[in-house]
């Protein structure tokens, strides 16, 4: 277990131990370890890195540190700036899990079911990646390259998520077979950006990576169908492909109602 | 009602008594079996089969034995005594011999200094498997090669059934099953595999006594039956094996069968060191028996006035790879197939088969859950067909004292079916909550999926019943021992020994209440639950433990009191120490050919419950919020009303779970959701408050007139929740758990 006290130290350790698995809240990592699915050479504990814990708004850009928790998003000022992300945060696990789980963890895991991903995608978020070599940013859409795979280099850490809040009406919905504490059978974030005349939707758990669909507002009548058509769901233990596609169509219709009301 | 204000605790029968273990459990201070430790302790681990069905060609331990920290690696050849064990039939190998019959079957054991070392070494055991085609379809099983060619359950007084893979079949023929009514309703119903999903995984500690014997501290439901299975497999005398109850984190039937008992003891005796074993969550899901999945074909015939004329039902249960308590579940399913209704003609066939699916055995409700779901669905359909109110239809058929059950048994005790129906139907159903509201209070809950769109409200009703105590001639008894002595202050005090397993149901509290009441004493202590100091208590099962423990403690206390009166007084250092055994009225087996009683009774007593459920279902997404549940339950006499309502709420939640989400999923016999990520249990947002009305109609043969209360809520709630879902959706919903796809119609 490596426990750096600053971002610089963390990056140095990551460069030295590229096999080290970063951990923040541990809500994904510890489950993997407990189920014996992963045995990393080392654990890089980022809980003592203050730079990752903060969020800030500068020149219209919201910078959310990788260590910001769902509880902080849900109950802090970020909720007003990123309402769909706040709604998504509310759907994550239980209060205890929301107190521990972080944005950076959700991006690191890069699950197609990651709850924070669809709302960030509809807001066009970028990911900030840091290493001893320097800092780079890339669009979240490019960062997510496959199921539980992302574009991180072995010496890099996710340091922040950058987003320019659109201010557009937006919402997030998640379907699961019980009323709390579920992994998404399917999820949807949607925003109706009148300024740009654009509808944007992103869905989870209906393809290898969260899907992204955009269309002119004028196509609102067919948009729910476009979203359902864009999905590439599978049958698994959590749900059937047919149900996922059906539910996406219903969710998209309701989300449009909410955002265009 | 659930809102009953706690009275001042005097701890006598009928008082509201707070649980002694409540505070520690809420604060995380309660010592569960998984918290046990001993000096010099090793950790045991079990290697399990990755196949549902395979031949074992060979097992090579060489690599495992050379791993760091390893003290023992054991296989079937190391089982000192009898190679197989089982609750009723010894058909399950302690460790697989030449064949594995289910996914997760135990193959080898490892003991190591550290649990991680034990797991790593287990991975290095090389088992050469030859995979075989698994038997996974219960309907086809009776035509496939037998998994147990010696048919271990046949020839025990059951109906002779020559078909391969039959664990037991029973036919109950009552009156004239060919009689026709004005109307007939038929349907086919399916029940998925439910798991007990207790939060405390299987765990225990085995400590060698240095003289060849063993002490096993374990979370279990019946200490003495564990001992009687463990001793022969270890080739020890029963008194050399002492089983002590360790903190139990839930049971629900899933701890009737052995888990770590023999395995831990083998490792401890082999190494001469204490050995602890704790299952992981994944291992727990494969390491215990589940509720039997069922397919049920039902036909109900009735006259225009709603009177049931004839019920015909065929029940097929999948028992999985080993017998466990399947024979009793098979018979129970048949006994309660018609529900708590007077039916003059019936033909019930219930069959349980061996397959390579996960083994099934006891779970809260024990066969009656599956049939209640089918029978109550039929009653709702019959009410619709006859344009009768569903409550009225049930009242017209309600079973009452003096009526005859399909087994020919006359109801001689309490049977307040009409009363529970009326009392439940009289509970006021809340008005729909206004919109808009926080989406968390709508179907989909935290998922934020609706503001009211697609939401339809439905109200359902169901009635269920089952037996209390063991049945069919089982010699069912409980021992209790009472010591009276003067304490340090010279005051009379009592110590009670009873091996009744406290599994969370609160039996220790009941034992203390009975002793205080009978002895008119406040100073009552309970000795540890163990096989070492008192006779068998029987199982914490079949809603029997409160009845049986109360009966035994009452007998022992009354005997001790009589002895005290005879002596006049106790001097310092004197004591009265006596043990008494309580038996309920004897039962006799059912006739193997006709399913009719061979004496006065096959079951001792019955308990019934009625339940009304309100749901809101999002019919477009297939998601449900259960809004309200009201129930009236036949409890005989509530010894501790708070504990009774607790049992009703917990039992209801478990039945709601089966209705909406709880299911072990399999693919070719392999469990695909062995985790709490994918085996979902109801959360606080899924389970509404329950209004419980306790119907106290004393049972003549029972201590204080009480009835067991743990199972009736589980029996009835699955049926009641789905009844409400049908009302909300208009769909038939013939399978539980109901999936979103079923509601949407995909």
């Amino acid at each position: 277990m490596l426990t750096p006290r600053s971002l610089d130290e963390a990056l140095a350790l990551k460069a030295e131990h590229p096999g080290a698995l970063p951990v923040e809240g541990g809500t994904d990592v510890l489950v993997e370890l407990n189920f014996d699915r992963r045995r990393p050479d080392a654990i890089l504990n980022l809980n003592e890195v203050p730079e990752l814990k903060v969020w800030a708004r500068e020149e219209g850009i919201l910078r959310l540190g990788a260590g910001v928790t769902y509880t902080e998003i849900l109950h802090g000022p970020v909720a007003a700036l990123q309402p769909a992300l706040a709604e998504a945060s509310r759907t994550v696990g239980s209060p205890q899990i929301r107190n521990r789980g972080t944005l950076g963890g959700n991006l690191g895991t890069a699950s197609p079911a990651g709850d924070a991903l669809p709302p960030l995608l509809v807001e066009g978020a970028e990911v900030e990646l840091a290493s001893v070599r320097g800092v780079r940013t890339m669009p979240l859409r490019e960062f997510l390259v496959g199921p539980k795979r992302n574009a991180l280099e072995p010496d890099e850490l996710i340091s922040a998520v950058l987003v320019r809040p659109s201010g557009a009406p937006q919402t997030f919905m998640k379907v699961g077979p019980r009323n709390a504490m579920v992994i998404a059978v399917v999820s949807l974030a949607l925003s109706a950006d009148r300024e740009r005349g654009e509808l944007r939707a992103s869905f989870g758990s209906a393809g290898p990576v969260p899907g992204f669909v955009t269309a002119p507002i004028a196509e609102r009548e067919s948009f729910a169908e476009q979203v359902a058509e864009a999905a590439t769901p599978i049958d698994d233990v959590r749900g059937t492909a047919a149900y996922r596609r059906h539910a996406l169509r219903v969710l998209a219709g309701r989300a449009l109602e909410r955002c265009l009301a | 009602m659930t809102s009953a204000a706690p009275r001042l605790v005097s701890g006598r029968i009928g008082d509201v008594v707070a649980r002694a273990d409540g505070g520690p459990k809420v604060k995380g201070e309660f010592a569960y079996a998984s918290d046990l430790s001993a000096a010099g302790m090793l950790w045991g681990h079990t290697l399990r089969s990755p196949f549902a069905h395979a031949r074992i060609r060979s097992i090579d331990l060489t690599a495992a034995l050379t791993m760091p920290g390893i003290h023992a690696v054991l296989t079937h050849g190391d089982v000192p005594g009898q190679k197989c064990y089982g609750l009723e039939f010894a058909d399950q190998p302690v460790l697989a011999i030449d064949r594995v019959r289910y996914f997760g079957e135990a193959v080898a054991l490892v003991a190591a200094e550290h649990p991680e070392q034990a797991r790593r070494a287990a991975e290095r055991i090389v088992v050469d498997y030859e995979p075989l085609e698994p038997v996974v379809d219960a309907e086809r099983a009776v035509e496939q090669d037998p998994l147990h060619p010696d048919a271990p359950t046949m020839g025990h007084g059951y109906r002779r059934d020559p078909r391969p893979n039959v664990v037991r079949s029973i036919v109950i023929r009552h009156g004239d099953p060919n009689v026709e009514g004005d109307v007939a309703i038929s349907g086919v119903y399916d029940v998925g595999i439910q798991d007990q999903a207790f939060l405390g995984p299987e765990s225990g500690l085995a400590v060698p006594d240095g003289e060849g014997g063993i002490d096993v501290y374990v979370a279990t439901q019946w200490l003495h039956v564990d001992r009687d299975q463990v001793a022969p497999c270890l080739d020890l005398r029963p008194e050399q094996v002492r089983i002590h109850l360790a903190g139990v984190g839930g049971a629900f039937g899933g701890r009737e069968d052995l888990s770590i008992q023999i395995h831990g003891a083998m490792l401890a005796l082999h190494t001469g060191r204490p050995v602890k074993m704790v299952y992981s969550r994944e291992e727990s899901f494969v390491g215990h028996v589940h509720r039997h999945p069922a397919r049920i074909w039902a036909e109900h015939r009735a006259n225009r006035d709603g009177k049931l004329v004839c019920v015909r039902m065929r029940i097929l249960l999948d028992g999985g790879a080993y017998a466990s308590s399947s024979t009793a579940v098979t018979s129970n399913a048949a006994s309660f197939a018609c529900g708590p209704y007077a039916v003059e003609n019936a033909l019930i066939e219930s069959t349980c088969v061996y397959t390579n699916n996960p083994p099934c055995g006891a779970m809260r409700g024990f066969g009656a859950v599956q049939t209640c779901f089918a029978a109550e669905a039929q009653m709702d359909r019959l009410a619709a067909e006859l344009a009768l109110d569903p409550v009225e239809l049930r009242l017209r058929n309600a079973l009452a004292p003096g009526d005859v059950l399909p087994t020919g048994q006359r109801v001689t005790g309490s049977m307040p079916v009409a009363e529970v129906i009326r009392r439940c139907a009289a509970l006021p159903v809340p008005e729909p909550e206004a919109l808009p509201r926080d989406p968390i209070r709508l179907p989909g809950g935290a998922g934020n999926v609706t503001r009211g769109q697609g939401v339809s409200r439905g109200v359902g009703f169901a009635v269920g019943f089952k037996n209390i105590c063991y049945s069919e001639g089982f010699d069912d008894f409980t021992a209790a021992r009472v010591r009276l002595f003067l304490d340090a202050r010279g005051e009379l005090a009592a110590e009670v020994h009873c091996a009744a397993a406290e599994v969370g149901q609160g039996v220790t509290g009941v034992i203390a209440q009975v002793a205080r009441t009978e002895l008119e004493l406040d100073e009552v202590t309970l000795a540890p639950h163990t096989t070492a100091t008192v006779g068998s208590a029987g199982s914490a099962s079949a809603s029997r433990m409160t009845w049986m423990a109360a009966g035994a403690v009452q007998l022992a206390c009354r005997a001790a009191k009589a002895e005290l009166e005879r002596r006049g007084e106790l001097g310092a250092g004197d004591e009265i120490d006596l043990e008494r055994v309580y038996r309920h009225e004897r039962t006799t087996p059912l006739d193997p050919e006709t399913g009719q009683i061979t004496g006065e009774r096959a079951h001792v007593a019955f308990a019934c419950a009625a339940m009304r459920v309100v749901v809101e279902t999002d019919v477009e997404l297939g998601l449900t919020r259960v809004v309200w549940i009201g129930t009236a339950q036949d409890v005989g006499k509530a010894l501790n009303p708070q504990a009774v309502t607790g049992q009703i709420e917990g039992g209801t939640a478990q039945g709601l779970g089966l209705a909406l989400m709880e299911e072990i999923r399999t693919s070719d016999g392999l469990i695909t959701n062995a985790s709490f990520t994918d085996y979902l249990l109801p959360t606080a947002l899924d389970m509404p408050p329950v209004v419980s009305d306790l119907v106290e109609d004393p049972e003549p043969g029972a201590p204080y007139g009480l009835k067991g209360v743990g199972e009736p809520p589980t029996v009835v709630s699955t049926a009641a929740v789905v009844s409400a879902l049908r009302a909300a959706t208009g769909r038939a919903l013939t399978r539980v758990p109901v999936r979103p796809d079923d509601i949407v119609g995909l």
Side-chain angles (χ1 to χ4, degrees), chain A residues 70-92 98 115-116 119 170-172, chain B residues 446 448:
Chain A
Y70 297 109
T71 297
E72 286 163 337
I73 293 165
L74 182 54
H75 297 300
V78 176
L81 301 167
Q82 290 290 288
L85 182 61
E87 286 176 328
S89 300
R90 194 185 187 190
T91 73
V92 174
R98 295 196 284 273
D115 291 319
Q170 54 189 263
T171 191
F172 175 83
Chain B
N448 188 35

Side-chain angles (χ1 to χ4, degrees), chain A residues 31 34-37 39 87 90-91 98 171-183 236-240 242-244 246-248 250-251 254 257-258, chain B residues 120 123 282 438 440 443-451 453-454 618 620-621 623-625 661 665 672-675 677-678 680-681 683 685-686 740-741 744 746:
Chain A
V31 174
N34 285 337
F35 272 97
D36 216 3
R37 288 187 196 126
R39 269 178 227 165
E87 286 176 328
R90 194 185 187 190
T91 73
R98 295 196 284 273
T171 191
F172 175 83
M173 304 155 139
K174 173 164 113 181
V175 170
R178 74 177 169 195
N179 288 328
M181 296 174 62
V182 282
I183 292 178
D236 67 16
V237 74
R238 291 177 194 144
T240 60
Y243 175 76
R244 288 181 157 113
H246 164 84
L248 262 184
V250 174
L251 292 181
R254 291 181 186 177
E257 244 179 76
R258 269 183 215 176
Chain B
R120 295 289 163 270
E123 286 172 6
E282 203 168 5
D438 186 333
I440 218 158
N448 188 35
V449 294
T450 182
R451 299 285 189 260
Q453 299 95 329
D618 181 336
E620 293 169 18
L621 289 173
L623 306 178
T624 293
R625 170 181 178 239
M661 62 190 81
R665 308 283 295 274
T672 57
N673 62 337
S675 74
T677 308
D678 287 317
L680 298 181
L681 296 165
T683 69
L685 281 184
D686 299 285
D741 304 54
V744 170
L746 292 175

Side-chain angles (χ1 to χ4, degrees), chain B residues 103-369:
Chain B
F103 172 69
E105 181 160 357
V107 174
L109 303 169
V110 182
E113 297 284 343
H114 190 278
E116 182 76 4
Q117 291 172 325
R119 283 195 291 271
R120 295 289 163 270
E123 286 172 6
R124 303 294 290 274
I125 297 172
V126 181
V127 184
D128 183 7
Y129 291 104
E130 177 194 339
L132 301 171
E133 191 199 343
V135 175
V136 292
D137 181 337
E139 289 188 59
R140 282 190 55 218
V142 293
E143 296 154 8
Q144 290 176 283
D145 287 343
L147 295 171
H148 297 270
D150 54 339
T153 60
M154 288 296 149
H156 288 83
Y158 302 145
R159 178 170 178 257
R160 169 115 199 95
D161 192 324
R163 294 174 296 171
N165 291 318
V166 171
V167 179
R168 182 180 180 183
S169 67
I170 177 171
V171 175
I172 295 176
R173 185 179 289 275
H174 175 59
D176 175 10
N178 292 320
V179 117
E180 302 282 343
D182 296 335
V183 295
I185 298 288
S186 48
V188 184
Y189 302 89
D190 289 290
V191 179
I193 311 176
Q194 188 180 21
D195 190 78
Q196 297 82 356
F198 36 68
L199 294 188
E202 290 83 348
S203 11
L205 177 68
V207 185
D209 66 7
E211 297 168 1
I214 189 100
D215 286 272
V216 180
Y217 300 82
V218 65
T220 184
Q221 289 180 237
W222 185 356
L223 297 162
H224 287 75
V225 86
D226 285 6
R227 180 195 64 186
D228 294 346
Q229 292 174 86
V230 172
C233 293
L234 298 177
D235 199 21
L236 295 176
R237 296 186 308 279
E239 64 274 17
Q240 289 178 288
V241 175
R242 290 159 301 272
I243 312 280
H244 313 278
L245 189 69
V248 183
F252 316 113
R255 296 189 208 269
E256 284 192 13
D257 294 80
L258 296 180
S259 57
I260 62 94
Q261 287 89 329
I262 302 174
H263 295 162
M266 279 175 60
L267 290 169
L269 289 170
H270 190 90
T271 59
R273 304 256 300 257
V275 171
K276 177 172 177 174
M277 297 184 85
V278 180
Y279 288 2
S280 68
R281 180 56 57 194
E282 203 168 5
E283 189 175 16
S284 179
F285 272 109
V286 300
H288 61 247
V289 297
H290 315 281
R291 186 188 300 292
H292 290 76
R295 169 158 284 192
I296 297 171
W297 295 261
E299 184 183 341
H300 282 56
R301 300 174 184 168
N303 283 339
R304 283 271 157 231
D305 61 1
K307 187 78 192 95
L308 284 172
V309 172
C310 179
V311 173
R312 297 168 69 103
M313 200 180 277
R314 188 153 75 84
I315 304 152
L316 178 61
L317 302 163
D318 185 341
Y322 295 103
S324 180
S325 51
S326 282
T327 55
V329 172
T330 308
S331 162
N332 242 45
S335 270
F336 303 103
C338 294
Y341 306 115
V343 183
E344 287 177 8
N345 308 290
L347 180 62
I348 317 287
E349 188 223 307
S350 178
T351 299
C352 181
V353 294
Y354 283 123
T355 68
N356 296 114
N357 287 321
C360 292
M363 184 173 171
R364 198 177 201 168
F366 207 74
V369 170

Side-chain angles (χ1 to χ4, degrees), chain B residues 357-387:
Chain B
N357 287 321
C360 292
M363 184 173 171
R364 198 177 201 168
F366 207 74
V369 170
Q370 294 91 328
T371 49
C372 182
F373 167 63
E376 289 299 283
Q378 289 281 101
M379 292 300 278
D380 276 353
R381 287 184 54 204
L382 187 59
E385 173 73 22
L386 295 171

Side-chain angles (χ1 to χ4, degrees), chain B residues 405-446:
Chain B
L405 299 165
T407 54
Q409 178 173 347
R410 187 169 296 279
V411 177
T412 54
S414 142
M415 183 68 89
V417 178
E419 178 71 3
V420 299
I421 293 174
R422 280 195 207 98
R423 297 257 292 261
C424 179
L427 297 171
V429 173
E431 288 298 312
E433 222 178 304
L435 291 169
R437 50 178 124 130
D438 186 333
I440 218 158
R441 300 185 62 76
L442 282 161

